[in-house]
Amino acid sequence: MILLDYRDKRPIYEQIVDKLERLIVGGGLEANYKMPSVRSLAMELSVNPNTIQRAYADLEQNGYIYTVSGRGSFVAHECEWRSGKLAELTKNLEEVLLKAKEAGMTMEETIEVVRKTFKEAGDD
């Protein structure tokens, strides 16, 4: 399920979050799938349970999983994690736009940069 790269400079919990996000977004883990317990996943990956707990907390905060007290953690429905990701992207976009305004860019210049970026990405 998850392979960790100990040469990766990112913390282990971030690697776990990234791998689980990819599994969820890619459809490898379906909505309402019961996630492994913190203890069992920690044993499987040979990491401290606090590392898994932190990864699960991040995933829950971003809307990818939800926890039912006494039952465990489950994969959230797509609309929930998409809205969480959208909220995160919106916040990041607001920060970028504020920095563009502080740098003295006009709205037209900012829109042109966005248009050019989308065009280069192949999304006209």
Side-chain angles (χ1 to χ4, degrees):
M1 181 199 263
I2 298 174
L3 295 174
L4 299 174
D5 180 0
Y6 293 100
R7 293 175 297 189
D8 192 326
K9 294 180 187 210
R10 296 177 298 161
I12 298 296
Y13 85 92
E14 284 183 13
Q15 291 183 50
I16 294 168
V17 168
D18 183 55
K19 305 276 185 185
L20 289 173
E21 280 181 0
R22 289 173 189 249
L23 281 169
I24 292 168
V25 171
L29 299 176
E30 295 183 6
N32 297 319
Y33 168 81
K34 186 175 187 324
M35 299 292 291
S37 70
V38 168
R39 187 176 299 155
S40 68
L41 187 55
M43 286 177 51
E44 181 182 326
L45 298 176
S46 300
V47 298
N48 188 304
N50 292 331
T51 302
I52 304 301
Q53 187 62 46
R54 185 166 182 187
Y56 277 16
D58 278 13
L59 289 165
E60 187 166 8
Q61 184 178 11
N62 292 328
Y64 287 99
I65 64 173
Y66 63 94
T67 301
V68 177
S69 184
R71 302 233 9 230
S73 297
F74 300 84
V75 175
H77 289 275
E78 182 176 353
C79 61
E80 293 175 40
W81 52 260
R82 282 201 185 274
S83 65
K85 205 58 158 169
L86 181 59
E88 180 184 335
L89 290 171
T90 301
K91 181 182 175 203
N92 292 341
L93 180 59
E94 288 172 354
E95 291 173 5
V96 168
L97 293 174
L98 182 60
K99 287 181 181 179
K101 184 176 181 182
E102 289 172 354
M105 290 180 67
T106 65
M107 184 176 10
E108 291 77 19
E109 291 170 329
T110 305
I111 291 170
E112 187 54 37
V113 169
V114 170
R115 188 173 283 128
K116 181 179 178 184
T117 302
F118 268 73
K119 188 173 184 176
E120 289 173 359
D123 296 331
D124 294 327

